[in-house]
Amino acid sequence: KNEVEQSPQNLTAQEGEFITINCSYSVGISALHWLQQHPGGGIVSLFMLSSGKKKHGRLIATINIQEKHSSLHITASHPRDSAVYICAVHPLDSNYQLIWGAGTKLIIKP
Amino acid sequence: EAGVAQSPRYKIIEKRQSVAFWCNPISGHATLYWYQQILGQGPKLLIQFQNNGVVDDSQLPKDRFSAERLKGVDSTLKIQPAKLEDSAVYLCASSPIPGQEQFFGPGTRLTVL
């Protein structure tokens, strides 16, 4: 079993829909990252959070440390949001390395 | 603020050939990471530098891969000789200190034929 699990693996939605991507992890963590990767492109860090909720534009990230769960929400989705969204965690026993999820491939259709 | 720079962006080589990738991190970032990302998978950490010292290279295939960061700034990753299974995107990232947000470069897409 992977230490970081994301769901769904693939998600296709219509423009304007509210999107939720989930991340569950099994280790104690000091922080969790949400990152975005466009096809053929590099990785962009969206959020780094250790508690509560963060918002940036149409993106919202929440984390529940007790339940070892985080969600990434996209409001009013747009085709340019199409990308792979990756969850990664800093485990408590190592502040250096990230444990990566497999990613969620999101396609937003116009 | 300039981001993490990588070159080349794309490289195609034949198996058993050698290849080198270059990374220039964000100015002032002490920590530098090299990742390998095989298509459809998440990134795998190959090596982590703190200034010019190696923090972790436990997943670096040392029989064929080498990396250096001699002056604690830019870094090179070399593969010699390359195998078919080395086809991947090689990502470089940097952070001010370990555990802080990592900033990624555009990656180098390597195809080994």
Side-chain angles (χ1 to χ4, degrees), chain B residues 47-95:
Chain B
I47 189 167
Q48 177 182 342
F49 291 97
Q50 180 67 17
N51 297 309
N52 61 350
V54 175
V55 172
D56 187 336
D57 62 357
S58 57
Q59 298 198 83
L60 187 75
K62 298 180 187 64
D63 57 334
R64 298 183 300 106
F65 286 63
S66 63
E68 59 183 16
R69 193 185 183 200
L70 291 175
K71 295 182 180 178
V73 181
D74 57 347
S75 175
T76 55
L77 176 69
K78 296 179 182 177
I79 308 175
Q80 180 179 11
K83 292 185 175 181
L84 296 176
E85 59 260 36
D86 299 331
S87 294
V89 175
Y90 291 84
L91 295 160
C92 179
S94 70
S95 63

Side-chain angles (χ1 to χ4, degrees), chain A residues 33 35 37 40-46 48 86 90 95-98 100-102, chain B residues 9 33 35 37 42-43 45 48 55-56 91 98-102 104-106 109:
Chain A
H33 297 256
L35 307 109
Q37 187 171 32
I43 294 176
V44 174
S45 178
L46 299 174
M48 179 175 170
I86 308 173
H90 278 295
N95 203 26
Y96 299 154
Q97 290 192 28
L98 286 170
W100 297 77
Chain B
R9 290 295 311 277
Y33 312 81
Y35 291 92
Q37 186 177 24
L45 179 69
Q48 177 182 342
V55 172
D56 187 336
L91 295 160
Q100 285 197 345
E101 182 179 5
Q102 295 182 25
F104 287 81
R109 182 176 297 276

Side-chain angles (χ1 to χ4, degrees), chain A residues 9-65:
Chain A
Q9 215 171 351
N10 296 281
L11 178 57
T12 301
Q14 290 297 131
E15 183 174 356
E17 285 188 37
F18 181 81
I19 303 299
T20 296
I21 299 171
N22 296 300
C23 175
S24 296
Y25 52 91
S26 57
V27 297
I29 68 168
S30 57
L32 180 144
H33 297 256
W34 280 104
L35 307 109
Q36 180 193 57
Q37 187 171 32
H38 283 280
I43 294 176
V44 174
S45 178
L46 299 174
F47 297 103
M48 179 175 170
L49 64 168
S50 53
S51 65
K53 177 179 171 178
K54 285 190 175 181
K55 185 176 188 292
H56 182 71
R58 296 180 293 106
L59 299 177
I60 303 166
T62 63
I63 188 168
N64 185 318
I65 295 291

